Amino acid sequence: MSKEKKYTRLSELDDQQLVRLYRREGSEKAFRELLNRHQSKIYSYIYSMVGNQEVANDIFQETFTKVITKMDETYNEQGKWIAWVMRIAHNATIDYLRKKKRFVDVNSNDDPDYDFYERLPDEELEDAQLTIEKGEAMGSLMKHINELPKEQREVVMLRHYYEMSFKEIAELTNVSINTALGRMRYALINLRKMFDKEHGKESKYAQR
Amino acid sequence: MEKNQNTPSGDELCIKYVMNELDPSEVYMIRREMEDNEDLLIEIECLSRVWGKIKSLPEVEPPAHVCEAVVESANRHYEESRKSFLSVGSFNNTTIMASAAAVIFSLSIGIANFYPQLIGFPAGGNHTEGAAALEEQIEPWVDNNDVLHLNTSEAGLSASVLDSLTRSGMHNLIIFDSNNSLQTPASSGFRLTNQNTNH
């Protein structure tokens, strides 16, 4: 009874407490709670960087295999668990990109049917027309993000999905804070140019 | 002068403003600047608009089967580490005793080799005790011509041992000459011999 009662309060526990529960008692529910809390951020980051569902699935699993096996050796419970996991996910993603040498355009050759927003949960899709429009806009944005150089894309995604400060991004990517800020600025400028170009094309088609 | 890597330039302050990473005084400064500088105002608005679009990107859930595989892997790892811990705990006594005996034997051999005097063996290559015994048998004497004699023939010393003892003894000798200055036997021409001299 007490165990059940304890598990009903898992959502009230912080990450550190859940990690301790898993490490000491092997509590599956504690681990599941941790995964539920952070899986979408981690998966979205990986997916947005590699642009391929199968690869994203593999890297996501690889990340958590490392998390599970290295938790006893390298995770210090004083630090933020999610920051440690994000670092592992980032390194696994960058390793993959380096191996494949896909620094510029991650989806143009490998997965021509790649559509980031095909995988949005159904319950969020209230209206079909709205969904298509939203999907198109998002698809266009994602396409442009994937056209950014890898260094600029990673800064944008680390900031958006992991909500990292520029100090944290700089530490993770081994550059100065000003370089990280500069990369973000160029990423936004490049995206603006891409949108302008896209809108220019649209108006050209409309004139015909 | 080299630019400080940690001091943000105007462009970096601009992007920090868009990302909401400035302190209130810097925000005030940028807003004042925007009132006077239309280009800065346009740039900040453009960057904010693009960032606003990125912020609207939703999160994507991983497939359920991938999450299940991760949870299974976590369970398996916990069970495996628990089993390996338990198997170490139930190590049988014979193995522990054999290991302990091997460790004690190795330690004994090590001590005998490196610290022989601790267990009463004469140290190999070190004449600590052997030399002390020999030194007791040697009685040095000085003749009328101030020649130092060592009656080594009675002690039955070999040439190499005698040489070793002589050299170490020479370093300990200090001669006081008429000018009251300290000299070593070598510098004063002092001569040692193990031959009997008949004067």
Side-chain angles (χ1 to χ4, degrees):
Chain A
M1 182 228 161
S2 63
K3 212 170 191 180
E4 282 304 309
K5 199 177 173 185
K6 187 168 68 179
Y7 286 145
T8 57
R9 292 202 307 264
L10 281 177
S11 59
E12 293 166 20
L13 299 180
D14 63 26
D15 287 359
Q16 262 86 348
Q17 289 169 315
L18 290 170
V19 168
R20 217 167 295 145
L21 205 55
Y22 167 70
R23 286 167 86 166
R24 289 183 188 168
E25 297 175 23
S27 165
E28 181 188 317
K29 289 187 178 179
F31 188 81
R32 212 178 268 279
E33 174 67 24
L34 273 173
L35 193 63
N36 284 340
R37 277 183 197 179
H38 305 293
Q39 63 185 26
S40 58
K41 274 183 194 299
I42 293 164
Y43 188 79
S44 300
Y45 172 72
I46 296 170
Y47 193 22
S48 66
M49 289 296 286
V50 299
N52 179 301
Q53 191 188 340
E54 291 306 312
V55 175
N57 292 350
D58 289 347
I59 296 175
F60 184 80
Q61 270 190 275
E62 184 194 324
T63 298
F64 275 94
T65 303
K66 279 184 187 160
V67 166
I68 293 159
T69 53
K70 303 278 176 192
M71 197 148 35
D72 292 335
E73 297 164 27
T74 54
Y75 173 60
N76 167 6
E77 283 189 21
Q78 303 304 312
K80 275 173 79 178
W81 184 78
I82 187 58
W84 178 70
V85 177
M86 282 170 175
R87 185 177 285 269
I88 293 173
H90 172 74
N91 290 341
T93 308
I94 298 303
D95 279 354
Y96 169 79
L97 292 174
R98 277 193 191 131
K99 277 179 197 163
K100 294 286 171 188
K101 297 189 173 154
R102 295 159 69 189
F103 286 99
V104 180
D105 189 347
V106 291
N107 64 339
S108 60
N109 301 321
D110 200 39
D111 188 2
D113 298 327
Y114 166 61
D115 185 353
F116 190 78
Y117 291 95
E118 258 178 18
R119 302 198 58 258
L120 285 175
D122 289 344
E123 56 268 25
E124 285 181 16
L125 310 178
E126 292 164 0
D127 178 69
Q129 184 59 35
L130 192 70
T131 305
I132 292 165
E133 285 171 10
K134 191 179 169 187
E136 280 175 359
M138 292 296 178
S140 161
L141 173 59
M142 213 47 222
K143 182 174 158 281
H144 293 325
I145 287 173
N146 279 310
E147 284 167 2
L148 292 172
K150 185 210 90 182
E151 289 78 10
Q152 292 174 20
R153 194 167 70 241
E154 76 183 357
V155 175
V156 171
M157 291 308 172
L158 288 171
R159 177 74 184 185
H160 174 55
Y161 285 122
Y162 292 173
E163 294 164 358
M164 282 182 163
S165 69
F166 281 93
K167 187 173 176 283
E168 289 169 323
I169 293 172
E171 281 170 4
L172 188 65
T173 55
N174 289 322
V175 294
S176 68
I177 295 174
N178 283 352
T179 303
L181 285 165
R183 284 177 179 173
M184 175 61 97
R185 182 171 172 271
Y186 280 115
L188 298 186
I189 290 170
N190 286 338
L191 285 171
R192 189 183 66 190
K193 284 180 186 168
M194 288 175 201
F195 284 126
D196 288 349
K197 201 174 161 187
E198 192 178 57
H199 290 303
K201 268 183 194 173
E202 278 173 6
S203 56
K204 205 172 147 187
Y205 290 132
Q207 283 170 3
R208 283 185 182 175
Chain B
M1 203 174 89
E2 206 168 294
K3 188 186 163 190
N4 186 346
Q5 285 275 299
N6 294 318
T7 309
S9 67
D11 290 341
E12 279 131 17
L13 280 174
C14 185
I15 194 75
K16 277 182 123 180
Y17 177 82
V18 174
M19 298 290 146
N20 208 11
E21 277 216 354
L22 290 180
D23 59 50
S25 65
E26 288 171 317
V27 170
Y28 177 76
M29 193 182 76
I30 291 269
R31 284 185 181 160
R32 286 283 303 272
E33 182 66 23
M34 278 195 289
E35 284 173 11
D36 301 330
N37 186 341
E38 199 177 320
D39 291 340
L40 179 68
L41 179 69
I42 292 168
E43 171 155 2
I44 284 181
E45 279 192 356
C46 286
L47 294 177
S48 299
R49 210 171 299 144
V50 177
W51 181 240
K53 283 186 182 182
I54 292 169
K55 276 171 79 178
S56 68
L57 282 174
E59 289 175 359
V60 182
E61 293 289 326
H65 72 272
V66 174
C67 294
E68 281 310 308
V70 167
V71 173
E72 273 173 33
S73 163
N75 287 338
R76 209 168 40 244
H77 176 77
Y78 180 78
E79 282 305 314
E80 278 167 11
S81 54
R82 196 168 137 263
K83 271 180 197 165
S84 63
F85 177 76
L86 288 174
S87 65
V88 169
S90 63
F91 227 60
N92 65 42
N93 281 343
T94 318
T95 317
I96 293 169
M97 293 297 279
S99 306
V103 169
I104 291 167
F105 180 72
S106 307
L107 281 172
S108 310
I109 296 291
I111 290 169
N113 271 333
F114 293 105
Y115 304 101
Q117 64 273 27
L118 289 180
I119 54 174
F121 290 158
N126 183 352
H127 297 282
T128 316
E129 282 191 9
L134 286 170
E135 279 165 13
E136 283 173 12
Q137 294 175 43
I138 299 168
E139 288 179 13
W141 57 280
V142 180
D143 66 12
N144 293 336
N145 295 321
D146 290 329
V147 175
L148 179 67
H149 294 269
L150 303 166
N151 55 343
T152 55
S153 53
E154 288 171 26
L157 295 179
S158 69
S160 63
V161 173
L162 175 66
D163 189 46
S164 162
L165 284 171
T166 310
R167 276 187 198 163
S168 61
M170 286 285 278
H171 287 289
N172 294 330
L173 285 172
I174 295 170
I175 300 159
F176 225 66
D177 72 1
S178 55
N179 296 326
N180 285 340
S181 62
L182 292 173
Q183 291 181 323
T184 63
S187 64
S188 66
F190 200 90
R191 198 160 59 88
L192 289 168
T193 177
N194 67 339
Q195 290 173 353
N196 286 329
T197 49
N198 298 317
H199 291 284

